[in-house]
Amino acid sequence: MIVYYAIDIFDNNLINITLGGSGGKVEIIDGWSDLDFYIILKTYSYKQVSKFMRVINLNSIHIGTTFYTKKEI
């Protein structure tokens, strides 16, 4: 679902989404692990990032999200 939210909210500004941490290595520890997403955008948009964070914070699992721009990569 998180990927679909990102595609919908960031639209043409989205370059890449990567799942990292234990979830990205498929080594999830029940009751301990969270999901870590690295999202690369063409340009940083406070409006888009705020909207995305509001949506994902509604989930019951902790989701760590780090944003980068194309220029930072």
Side-chain angles (χ1 to χ4, degrees), residues 6-16 39-49 67-70:
I7 291 168
D8 182 54
I9 292 169
F10 295 114
D11 195 30
N12 292 332
N13 195 24
L14 181 65
I15 295 175
N16 185 297
I39 298 177
I40 302 171
L41 304 171
K42 290 179 185 174
T43 59
Y44 187 86
S45 166
Y46 179 79
K47 183 178 177 181
Q48 287 178 324
V49 168
F67 296 93
Y68 296 99
T69 63
K70 181 179 179 181

Side-chain angles (χ1 to χ4, degrees), residues 1-11 52 55-56 59:
M1 292 295 281
I2 301 303
V3 173
Y4 294 116
Y5 293 140
I7 291 168
D8 182 54
I9 292 169
F10 295 114
D11 195 30
F52 180 77
V55 170
I56 67 165
N59 290 289

Side-chain angles (χ1 to χ4, degrees), residues 11-31:
D11 195 30
N12 292 332
N13 195 24
L14 181 65
I15 295 175
N16 185 297
I17 303 172
T18 301
L19 178 61
S22 58
K25 297 177 208 164
V26 193
E27 298 174 359
I28 295 175
I29 301 166
D30 191 35

Side-chain angles (χ1 to χ4, degrees), residues 52-63:
F52 180 77
M53 295 306 293
R54 281 193 305 274
V55 170
I56 67 165
N57 284 332
L58 299 175
N59 290 289
S60 59
I61 186 170
H62 178 265
I63 299 171

